[in-house]
Amino acid sequence: MIRNSLLVLAALCSVALPASADGPEPLTCRRDGTHAVTAAAARAALAEPLVVGSDPVHEAALVNGVNQPRYSQILARLSGAETFQLAGQTRRLQTRWALDTAHPDGINLARDYLIDRFQRAGCTIQLQDFTHSGDVVSTNVIGVRPGTDFPGEIVVVGAHYDARAATPGEDAPGAEDNASGVAAVLHLAELLESFQPKRTVHFVAFGCEEYGLLGSEHYVQEALANGDTIVAALTMDMISAWVDEFGLWIESEPPFVDLVDVIAANTVQWTPIPHEIHLNS
């Protein structure tokens, strides 16, 4: 029930996020002792508000379309608990450690699996390669659903697909952290295949987040360089765990409290799970 409730929330929030009237001052995001990235956090002026009213028919279709067995299957495949078919072969992931791109059943196999599944969900694919840790190349996998009315305005739905462990070169399944989030992103891409979003949606699987949020930083740098207009972002991390009593943490910053309010309201309306709001992410 908990997993299904969180997927319902993600489905609703990925297509129903409100706009803010005023943009805030730029924010400085400190990732660790060495990284500090300052970026303008001002909200873009939109052609129309992100939410123009509740649509019970669409909401019901989204809620009813969420399929926990399908979500669990994707999670199991990403964490190596199940095999999958890729290019006519039966494959099984062993590790999603970002620093070992040579492993035949490693992080690049996960990349290829996500490319294949996003394509099957009707998305066009964008790949962003970036170099880190000397000469290691990681990849952001982006499944793109063009918007019908405002294609230049982008909603990001993302999660990181790399993992760490005590022996990551041999075994880093990362079921909770963060196959759980990536499985939700992919399942949402599948679920929204039958919907026509007004705005362009980027379903993003970020690479190499466990070594300093490098994948998401690269995505933002590319967006700035391209002049992209990102109007909202929902990222999911560790959304499923063995402790069934655990609730939902909604993390953001004060300038985006209107987005937080939508998620909090959906939590109360659609699920039995408790939630906490943290505006110091």
Side-chain angles (χ1 to χ4, degrees), residues 144-165:
V144 181
R145 284 290 309 281
T148 56
D149 295 9
F150 314 113
E153 297 180 0
I154 299 170
V155 174
V156 176
V157 182
H160 76 88
Y161 70 101
D162 63 312
R164 298 181 70 172

Side-chain angles (χ1 to χ4, degrees), residues 24-75:
E25 295 298 317
L27 296 177
T28 298
C29 303
R30 300 194 178 277
R31 295 181 170 82
D32 53 38
T34 58
H35 281 75
V37 176
T38 300
R43 304 287 285 279
L46 305 182
E48 70 174 31
L50 281 168
V51 173
V52 294
S54 178
D55 186 334
V57 174
H58 280 172
E59 286 185 359
L62 283 168
V63 170
N64 293 332
V66 170
N67 186 301
Q68 183 170 329
R70 172 57 180 158
Y71 167 78
S72 298
Q73 180 186 64
I74 300 170
L75 193 157

